[in-house]
Amino acid sequence: MTLLKIAHLNANGIPHHKLELSKFLKDKEIDIMLLAETHLTNRYNFGISGYTFYCTNHPDGKAHGGTGILVRNRIKHHHLTGIAENYLQATSICVQTKQGDITLSAVYCPPRFTITEKQFMDFFSSLGERFLAAGDYNAKHPHWGSRLSNPKSKQLYNALICRRNKLDYASPGKPTYWPADPQKLPDLIDFAVTRKIPRGLISTESVAQVQISAAHILTHWVRVEVKNH
């Protein structure tokens, strides 16, 4: 099997970080970049050479929130319908591998909106039988490595521990977000929810803010054999 190199980035506005992002993709040889807080509108065209870009903007049409995916042109895939709700934005693709199709989804859950267990499950159910949905869930819980828990995390935790949902998670187990305010402590709010991808096939790590400023970065190395165009 080969490594499918997937990264997740909360960019806090990708128009401001295009050059940094391009360098990160090249240096780390990233195959698929899942993006949160893209801050794009329908009036802005974004792209990076060698990659196909898909996005889901915030439903109010303003430059905040939103998600996107950059996928290498050589990787055989197709775009899936996005989710654009106030409480959750997601962009998804289906990648063809020799082990079967796998859905990859970039997720952003804004902190100000509540989301129920049912709403989480409606979203996960839309991704199919085998998926990795990585993003900034703004959900803190010791179960996936955060220092503490918040109300949003309890709904997601309930979905994860219910056996009939067949969900799992991939987390670095250490902070993914470093606040600008020195009085606030770093914490883990970025991770992936998965289904039917054995943990032994995923290696996840948190990348410090050394290459892309004002960003949270996760990398997921997934061992699958990808079909190329």
Side-chain angles (χ1 to χ4, degrees):
M1 292 188 185
T2 56
L3 279 176
L4 182 63
K5 297 182 178 180
I6 305 166
H8 162 259
L9 164 69
N10 182 312
N12 194 25
I14 54 174
H16 307 299
H17 303 294
K18 185 173 181 177
L19 293 178
E20 295 169 289
L21 179 56
S22 297
K23 185 177 187 303
F24 179 81
L25 292 171
K26 181 179 179 181
D27 291 349
K28 297 294 185 180
E29 299 180 325
I30 299 299
D31 296 308
I32 299 170
M33 175 66 86
L34 309 176
L35 299 159
E37 285 206 84
T38 48
H39 296 186
L40 296 177
T41 68
N42 294 336
R43 298 188 299 273
Y44 188 92
N45 293 320
F46 181 83
I48 288 179
S49 178
Y51 291 80
T52 302
F53 178 65
Y54 305 101
C55 66
T56 305
N57 298 333
H58 193 279
D60 68 8
K62 297 180 180 178
H64 63 110
T67 55
I69 294 180
L70 285 160
V71 54
R72 281 190 191 275
N73 292 335
R74 63 173 173 80
I75 294 177
K76 199 168 185 179
H77 71 281
H78 61 270
H79 183 216
L80 301 174
T81 302
I83 305 293
E85 302 287 351
N86 285 329
Y87 58 83
L88 186 150
Q89 292 105 56
T91 304
S92 304
I93 61 172
C94 180
V95 176
Q96 297 181 29
T97 79
K98 293 185 178 180
Q99 293 77 42
D101 291 351
I102 178 172
T103 298
L104 300 175
S105 187
V107 183
Y108 178 62
C109 295
R112 61 175 288 204
F113 292 100
T114 59
I115 179 168
T116 66
E117 179 183 350
K118 181 181 183 302
Q119 288 170 324
F120 272 124
M121 283 312 306
D122 286 346
F123 166 58
F124 294 136
S125 297
S126 74
L127 300 179
E129 282 298 303
R130 189 165 177 251
F131 66 78
L132 182 147
D136 182 352
Y137 285 88
N138 276 299
K140 300 179 182 181
H141 199 286
H143 184 70
W144 46 80
S146 306
R147 292 185 303 105
L148 41 81
S149 62
N150 60 6
K152 193 188 298 284
S153 74
K154 294 175 183 177
Q155 299 298 314
L156 182 54
Y157 173 74
N158 289 339
L160 278 170
I161 64 172
C162 181
R163 288 190 176 183
R164 70 173 180 270
N165 294 336
K166 299 178 181 178
L167 298 177
D168 203 352
Y169 67 92
S171 166
K174 60 182 180 180
T176 60
Y177 171 59
W178 293 264
D181 185 348
Q183 301 299 317
K184 295 182 179 180
L185 296 175
D187 211 346
L188 189 157
I189 58 176
D190 307 83
F191 51 93
V193 175
T194 67
R195 178 184 282 157
K196 292 188 177 179
I197 305 177
R199 286 193 179 188
L201 296 183
I202 307 175
S203 176
T204 301
E205 64 180 349
S206 176
V207 181
Q209 296 166 274
V210 294
Q211 290 187 303
I212 303 179
S213 57
H216 339 166
I217 308 174
L218 281 183
T219 56
H220 305 280
W221 310 135
V222 182
R223 287 190 289 277
V224 292
E225 196 163 353
V226 179
K227 293 182 179 179
N228 295 328
H229 283 294

